[in-house]
């Protein structure tokens, strides 16, 4: 049967079977990208199913598909053109923060690259061990003198993963020994790429994580994969990032110690994120890579790079900023500067709209890795955002000189050419070339391209075409206000534009990064309305709502998330945490129980249980669950922090402080930027080495990072613990002046004023804290306690009632309402509140103590004793409670029980004067004046200034002294 007469069946990744197709039809489909590489193929009829990439008939076409989507980049054109970079500056000179004058120097000329010249291939060592400086002027000259590539290939035909000769040799080897392992490796390369690429128009990319237990590779094979990955990565194209991802995954699978490959894969995922699904599966891939990097490079630069990337894709801009700053500060002046972190810092500054600083950091990244095209693109984008269009255009042109197929540069240069230089034809040509590449740029950039084309159409008096293009632009980015305005200007309606839920989620993420939570939640909600199966959209809406203080709405949306995607574990864990923060521990436990059934071995669920137990002041339970979680994921920073806090709460237990110190040390070793981990570490350090050590440690952190509120708060609390209230107050007053959200600082300041008996200042500070977040009842609760302490029960009751109206489950609010009632001589009301508190928190001793005092006022002494006994069972207590129980038994006439309670009190605290006072009262009731006299004498010895001495002496006289 000839090649053209064969028929094939195609089995898609979801099990559906299509065909039969002729060979030529299958080849055409591969060329169009209709098949993603996940399919298997079988001769029709009755053939054996095999992966499509392993069939010799289709292998060549797969290679052609790979080769057709990329253009080799001539980085020599950019090696000396970083704006303001002196040609004599070595890469290491960029370690310190780049000076402002860097961005002000004139642009040097760019050497043009000859078509068909071979690019110098950097060694694996240069690529994996540090920033490359291999492409210098003499190297470029050598490359231009030796024309090793085939003249039949021009720039657009060059395969980005290596030289064309390598591809040709691979093809020949495949034809000769396809069944042998050498060919299998090449096939795996192609297949791994295709599995990720997403071939349908507009199809998103699925991120890949390395699999454990794969066959090991020798170091030469791994180094070769690293070189190819670096070449593909630096080209800054979607296809290049997909190729880099494929090679890096293989390199890591071949050697799970390759933390450098893991860091580069994390950086690759950051660039692929706009093209990814951005769902739970992709987030898990990033998280898994962070775990692997932690195992291979715990606390190192490569692990840190992955953590910053994880923070950025999660929208945690402050965490990303803190860690990147810490790394850059730590390596200032180092001979091995942290290359990635200059770029990451530039990305963070871009989000924070500090464009000039971002450009300078991008320039530093260029100096450290001159072939890294993305750093030049970022610099140009920063000029564009500063309205420095000439400089931006110059840089984009230089990038296109180096890589004529660079889509992003064509789009941005096209926009500048039309809007600022009034060159519509030149702009149109650039934009149409850019849009020929399927998904060659993120949707935000594609939206810009269609927006400019729409404006050009209007400029050319083609309004209908302009409206069509404007709608296309808006569909790709609903945040594009210029497209929206253009649609309305041309008589269209934005409501008629069909939007995609995934795109809206991505746009919401951009707003979340910028702290625009209200706008973000609106986009997430719209995304969920478009696709009610998108649980991640509902979860992100909940997170935004929670940050806005809309806790009920947040919980409602998390419930929607779990219904939409029952396997979305992160939504269950977050929901449980939100319930716990509202003190609804029963609901939190139910949510986690459901998640545990779905994912029995999820460290996130076990960590969720640990956090809930910590919030309910059950350190033992937190330790039990945290220990389970850490066995599943030993480098999880959050779990180590929970364990450190829990052990710190159990200070009386053997080795509690040592265990707290161990877990806190582990946490900061894994992530030195973790703020809570640093504070917990300082506290543990103080518990072991003395409070002065903790003060010294935190003082250094505050000095280095004065804007980090957690460090100042931690220092103030340590000062307060050591009774250094004035020092604590100074720290907090400085923090309040600079903090964006000073609520916690006001709360701590109020407690200090209260401890110093500055009650009016304390009240004012509590009220200021309450104003910061009206939904948070904690300041009102503490204000109520303040009023109780100064004997203002009516004012206290008002505050506690406000707390209860906002959160009826707040711990001890009913207890304190009862205490206010006792001070107002309303014991029956106090009993009602005690009963309410008991229902909500049956394991707390406090409501039983309250009830006992209420029964004492009511002179129901048997019931008083019963309540005290219940409190003793629930909480270890000192001698004072036993004395109170004894008094109730004495007043109820049960003198033997009273004596027994006092004996237990003496066993716990024999020096407590109240024991002997009550014992004397018992003997007086018995009529045993001699023993009563001895007991009272001991009372006077222990309390020489007893105010009731005269009354007691009169009773002793009456007894027959």
């Amino acid at each position: 049967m000839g090649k053209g007469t064969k028929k094939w069946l195609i089995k898609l990744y979801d099990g559906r079977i299509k065909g039969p197709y002729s060979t030529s039809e299958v080849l055409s489909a591969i060329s169009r990208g209709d098949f993603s590489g996940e399919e298997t193929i079988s001769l029709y009829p009755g053939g054996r199913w095999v992966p499509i990439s392993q069939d010799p008939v289709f292998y060549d076409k797969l290679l052609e598909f790979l080769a057709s989507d990329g253009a080799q980049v001539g980085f020599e054109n950019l090696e000396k053109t970083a704006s303001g970079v002196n040609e004599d500056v070595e890469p290491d000179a960029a370690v310190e923060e780049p000076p402002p004058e860097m961005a002000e120097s004139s642009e040097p000329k760019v050497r043009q690259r000859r078509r068909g010249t071979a690019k110098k291939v950097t060694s694996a060592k240069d690529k994996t061990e540090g920033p490359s400086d291999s492409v210098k002027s003499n190297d470029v000259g050598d490359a231009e003198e030796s024309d090793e590539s085939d003249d039949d290939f021009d720039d657009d035909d060059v395969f980005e993963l290596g030289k064309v000769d390598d591809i040709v040799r691979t093809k020949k080897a495949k034809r000769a020994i396809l069944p042998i392992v050498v060919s299998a490796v090449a096939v795996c390369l192609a297949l791994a790429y295709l599995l990720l690429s997403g071939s349908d128009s507009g199809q998103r990319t699925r991120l890949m994580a390395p699999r454990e237990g794969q066959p090991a590779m020798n170091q030469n094979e791994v180094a070769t994969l690293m070189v190819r990955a670096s070449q593909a990565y630096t080209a800054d194209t979607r296809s290049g990032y997909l190729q880099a991802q494929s090679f890096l995954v293989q390199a890591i699978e071949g050697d799970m110690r390759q933390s450098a490959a893991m860091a580069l894969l994390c950086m690759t995922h950051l660039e692929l994120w706009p093209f990814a699904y951005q769902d739970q599966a992709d987030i898990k891939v990033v998280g898994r890579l962070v775990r692997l990097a932690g195992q291979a490079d715990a606390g190192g630069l490569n692990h840190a790079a992955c953590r910053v990337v994880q923070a950025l894709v999660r929208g945690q801009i402050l965490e990303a900023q803190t860690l990147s700053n810490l790394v850059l500060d730590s390596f200032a002046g180092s001979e091995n500067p942290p290359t990635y972190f200059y770029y990451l810092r530039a990305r963070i500054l871009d989000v924070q709209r500090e464009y000039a600083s971002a450009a300078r950091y991008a320039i530093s990244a260029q100096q450290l890795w001159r072939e890294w095209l993305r750093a030049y693109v970022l610099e140009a984008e920063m000029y564009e955002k500063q309205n420095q269009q000439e400089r931006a255009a110059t840089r984009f042109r230089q990038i296109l000189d180096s890589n004529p197929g660079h889509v992003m540069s064509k789009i941005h240069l096209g926009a500048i050419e039309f809007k600022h230089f009034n060159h519509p034809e030149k702009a149109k040509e650039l934009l149409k070339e850019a849009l020929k590449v399927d998904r060659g740029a993120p949707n935000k950039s594609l939206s810009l391209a269609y927006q400019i084309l729409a404006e050009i159409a209007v400029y050319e008096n083609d309004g209908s075409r302009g409206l069509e293009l404007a709608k296309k632009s808006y569909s790709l980015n609903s945040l594009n206000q210029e497209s929206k305005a253009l649609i309305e200007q041309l008589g269209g309606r934005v409501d008629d534009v069909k939007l995609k839920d995934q795109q809206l989620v991505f746009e919401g993420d951009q707003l979340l990064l910028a702290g625009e939570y209200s706008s973000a939640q609106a986009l997430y909600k719209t995304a969920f309305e478009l696709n009610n199966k998108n649980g991640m959209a509902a979860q992100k809406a909940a997170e935004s709502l929670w940050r806005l203080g809309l806790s009920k709405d947040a919980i409602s949306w998390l419930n929607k998330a779990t219904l939409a995607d029952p396997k979305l574990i992160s939504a269950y864990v977050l929901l449980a945490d939100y319930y716990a923060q509202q003190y609804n521990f029963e609901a939190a436990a139910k949510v986690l129980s459901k998640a545990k059934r779905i994912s029995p071995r999820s460290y996130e669920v076990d960590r969720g249980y640990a956090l809930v137990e910590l919030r309910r002041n059950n350190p033992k339970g937190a330790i039990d669950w945290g220990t389970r979680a850490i066995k599943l994921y030993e480098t999880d920073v959050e779990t180590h922090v929970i364990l450190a806090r829990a052990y710190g709460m159990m200070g009386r237990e053997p080795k509690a402080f040592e265990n707290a110190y161990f877990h806190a040390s582990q946490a900061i070793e894994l992530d030195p930027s973790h703020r809570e981990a640093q504070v917990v570490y300082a506290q543990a350090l103080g518990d072991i080495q003395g409070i002065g050590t903790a003060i010294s440690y935190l003082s250094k952190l505050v000095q280095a990072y004065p804007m980090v509120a957690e460090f100042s708060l931690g220092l103030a609390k340590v000062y307060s613990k050591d009774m250094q209230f004035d020092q604590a107050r100074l720290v907090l007053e400085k923090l309040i002046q600079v903090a964006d959200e000073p609520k916690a600082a006001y709360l701590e300041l109020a407690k200090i004023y209260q401890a110093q008996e500055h009650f009016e200042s304390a009240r004012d500070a509590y009220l200021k804290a309450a104003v910061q977040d009206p939904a948070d009842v904690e300041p009102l609760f503490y204000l109520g306690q303040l009023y109780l302490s100064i004997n203002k029960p009516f004012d206290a009751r008002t505050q506690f009632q406000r707390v209860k109206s906002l959160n009826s489950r707040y711990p001890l609010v009913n207890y304190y309402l009862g205490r206010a009632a006792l001070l107002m001589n309303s014991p029956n009301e106090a009993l009602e509140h005690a009963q309410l508190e008991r229902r909500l928190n049956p394991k707390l001793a406090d409501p039983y103590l309250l009830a006992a005092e209420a029964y004492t006022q009511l002179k129901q002494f048997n019931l008083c004793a019963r309540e005290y006994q219940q409190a003793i069972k629930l909480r270890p207590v000192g001698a004072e409670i036993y004395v109170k129980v004894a008094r109730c038994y004495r007043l109820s006439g049960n003198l033997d029980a009273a004596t027994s309670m006092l004996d237990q009190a003496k066993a716990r605290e024999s020096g407590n004067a109240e024991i002997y006072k009550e014992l004397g009262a018992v003997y007086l009731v018995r009529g045993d004046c001699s023993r009563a006299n001895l007991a009272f004498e001991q009372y006077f010895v222990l309390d020489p200034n007893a105010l009731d001495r005269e009354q007691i002496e009169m009773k002793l006289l009456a007894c027959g002294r």
Side-chain angles (χ1 to χ4, degrees), residues 872 876-879 882 901-911 915:
I872 290 170
V877 292
Y882 286 94
M901 290 296 105
L902 292 170
D903 288 341
Q904 293 186 54
K906 282 192 285 186
R908 282 166 172 77
E909 192 179 346
S910 61
I915 297 172

Side-chain angles (χ1 to χ4, degrees), residues 926-938:
R926 288 183 184 274
D928 193 337
C929 299
S930 175
R931 289 187 178 181
N933 185 48
L934 290 174
F936 283 125
E937 284 183 356
Q938 184 64 24

Side-chain angles (χ1 to χ4, degrees), residues 729-806:
R729 194 174 69 249
L730 288 174
V731 172
L732 292 168
E733 288 171 350
K734 288 181 181 178
L735 175 60
I736 287 169
Q737 292 175 3
V738 299
D740 293 331
E741 298 179 358
K743 178 184 72 174
Y746 276 123
L747 267 179
E748 195 62 30
L749 184 62
K751 293 176 186 177
I752 291 169
Y753 281 135
Q754 188 171 345
Q756 294 182 303
E757 298 186 355
H758 301 326
F759 297 120
E760 288 190 7
S761 297
R763 180 201 62 198
D764 293 343
Y766 281 132
L767 290 173
K768 288 177 181 177
V771 169
Q772 298 293 317
D773 183 2
D776 184 7
V777 299
E778 188 176 19
L780 302 177
F781 180 76
Y782 285 126
L783 181 57
Q785 287 184 317
L786 171 66
Y787 283 131
L788 278 182
S789 69
I790 58 177
N791 200 27
K792 290 188 175 181
F794 290 99
D795 292 333
R797 182 172 63 179
T798 299
Q799 297 305 322
F800 292 131
Q801 285 174 340
R802 289 175 65 190
V803 171
K804 189 172 180 180
S805 67
L806 291 169

Side-chain angles (χ1 to χ4, degrees), residues 633-852:
Y633 182 11
E634 62 183 11
T635 58
D636 182 47
V637 177
E638 302 295 338
T639 304
H640 280 297
V641 171
I642 290 171
L643 286 168
R645 289 176 58 193
Y647 277 116
M649 293 167 65
M650 299 182 69
R652 297 179 181 178
E653 298 293 323
K655 294 187 177 181
F657 289 143
E658 289 84 352
N659 286 327
Y661 177 79
F662 169 78
H663 287 289
S665 300
Q666 290 289 302
I668 65 168
E669 182 179 336
L670 290 166
D671 184 3
S673 71
H674 198 290
R675 303 173 185 190
E676 188 180 0
Q678 289 285 2
V679 173
V680 171
Y681 174 78
Q683 292 168 344
L685 199 64
D687 288 333
I688 292 176
Q689 298 182 14
I691 202 78
T693 310
I695 290 173
S696 175
Y697 187 87
L698 285 168
S699 295
K700 291 176 182 177
L701 285 175
V702 171
Q703 185 177 2
Y705 305 101
M707 302 298 291
V708 177
E710 289 86 348
F711 297 157
S712 293
L713 279 171
L715 178 59
K717 288 178 180 179
V718 173
Y719 274 133
S720 296
K721 184 178 180 181
D722 198 42
M723 309 293 284
Q724 298 186 47
F725 296 121
D726 290 338
Q727 291 292 339
R729 194 174 69 249
L730 288 174
V731 172
L732 292 168
E733 288 171 350
K734 288 181 181 178
L735 175 60
I736 287 169
Q737 292 175 3
V738 299
D740 293 331
E741 298 179 358
K743 178 184 72 174
Y746 276 123
L747 267 179
E748 195 62 30
L749 184 62
K751 293 176 186 177
I752 291 169
Y753 281 135
Q754 188 171 345
Q756 294 182 303
E757 298 186 355
H758 301 326
F759 297 120
E760 288 190 7
S761 297
R763 180 201 62 198
D764 293 343
Y766 281 132
L767 290 173
K768 288 177 181 177
V771 169
Q772 298 293 317
D773 183 2
D776 184 7
V777 299
E778 188 176 19
L780 302 177
F781 180 76
Y782 285 126
L783 181 57
Q785 287 184 317
L786 171 66
Y787 283 131
L788 278 182
S789 69
I790 58 177
N791 200 27
K792 290 188 175 181
F794 290 99
D795 292 333
R797 182 172 63 179
T798 299
Q799 297 305 322
F800 292 131
Q801 285 174 340
R802 289 175 65 190
V803 171
K804 189 172 180 180
S805 67
L806 291 169
N807 185 352
S808 61
R809 292 182 175 274
Y810 196 86
L812 297 177
V813 66
N814 287 297
Y815 167 77
Y816 280 106
L817 277 168
R819 298 213 64 80
L822 282 180
L823 288 176
M824 291 185 291
N825 296 314
S826 300
N828 287 316
E829 182 184 344
L831 284 173
E832 292 175 9
H833 288 301
Q835 189 62 32
L836 288 172
E837 188 68 54
R838 193 178 303 175
R839 289 174 189 167
L840 287 173
N841 298 293
K843 294 183 179 180
L844 289 180
D846 303 85
Y848 294 95
L849 296 174
L850 173 64

Side-chain angles (χ1 to χ4, degrees), residues 94-342:
V95 173
E96 299 180 355
E97 180 168 349
E101 59 268 18
M102 271 187 163
E104 302 302 327
S105 304
S106 60
E107 297 284 352
K109 293 182 180 179
V110 180
R111 287 191 297 274
Q112 296 299 315
R113 179 170 56 90
R114 286 168 43 195
R115 292 172 64 82
T117 56
K119 187 179 76 166
K120 178 173 171 39
V121 178
T122 308
S123 70
K125 180 179 179 182
D126 290 336
K127 286 296 185 182
T128 57
E129 294 185 1
S132 171
D133 192 29
S134 62
V135 185
K136 296 191 177 181
S137 58
N138 59 331
D139 297 328
V140 175
D142 293 341
E144 291 178 348
E145 287 296 321
S146 60
D147 189 1
E148 296 178 359
S149 64
D150 194 328
D151 289 339
D152 292 339
F153 290 88
D154 63 18
D155 291 336
D156 294 331
D157 293 329
V158 178
F159 186 35
E160 288 185 309
L161 301 184
K163 299 177 182 177
V164 174
D165 293 342
D166 294 335
I167 302 174
V168 174
R169 284 195 294 272
T170 303
K171 291 182 181 181
K172 291 178 179 177
K174 182 271 304 179
R175 290 191 181 102
I177 50 172
L178 180 65
I180 303 177
V181 175
V182 174
S183 174
V185 172
V187 172
C188 287
L189 293 178
L191 180 59
Y193 166 71
L194 287 173
L195 286 173
L196 268 292
S197 63
S199 52
D200 292 340
S201 177
Q203 184 177 351
R204 290 186 173 268
T205 294
R206 177 63 69 195
L207 299 185
M208 286 179 66
R211 300 163 298 171
E212 297 184 67
Q214 300 304 302
M217 293 183 184
N218 62 50
Q219 289 306 300
N220 288 336
E221 291 175 314
V222 173
T224 299
L225 288 168
M226 284 292 293
V227 169
R228 291 183 171 183
S230 297
Q231 291 171 344
Y233 175 81
T234 53
D236 190 38
T237 62
R238 177 173 177 261
S239 60
Y241 290 128
L242 290 167
Q243 293 160 8
Q245 177 182 232
S246 173
F247 287 131
L248 291 166
V249 166
Q250 293 175 76
I252 297 167
E253 289 178 347
D255 181 2
M256 298 301 288
R257 299 166 300 176
Q258 278 291 331
S259 64
M262 294 171 189
L264 185 55
L265 182 54
C266 287
M267 298 296 292
T268 302
H269 284 164
L270 180 62
E271 303 303 335
L272 283 174
W273 192 251
F275 304 102
Y277 286 90
Q278 301 174 7
D279 56 7
Q280 185 185 23
D282 283 339
I283 290 172
K284 277 187 174 181
V285 167
V286 176
R288 173 167 168 71
L289 200 52
V290 171
R291 290 174 62 184
L292 292 175
Q295 293 167 4
D297 181 46
L301 274 180
N302 295 319
H303 183 213
C306 284
R307 288 193 62 84
V308 174
V309 169
Q310 183 183 45
L312 286 174
V313 301
R314 286 179 171 179
Q316 299 167 338
I317 194 69
L318 291 179
E319 288 77 358
Q321 177 185 7
T322 302
L323 180 51
S324 62
N325 285 350
L326 183 64
V327 170
L328 289 169
D329 291 345
S330 301
F331 280 80
S334 167
E335 294 181 356
N336 297 299
T339 308
Y340 295 145
F341 288 87
Y342 287 93

Side-chain angles (χ1 to χ4, degrees), residues 913-932:
E914 294 297 319
I915 297 172
Y916 301 95
K917 175 182 175 180
E918 182 58 37
L919 185 60
V922 171
Y923 285 134
L924 281 177
V925 173
R926 288 183 184 274
D928 193 337
C929 299
S930 175
R931 289 187 178 181

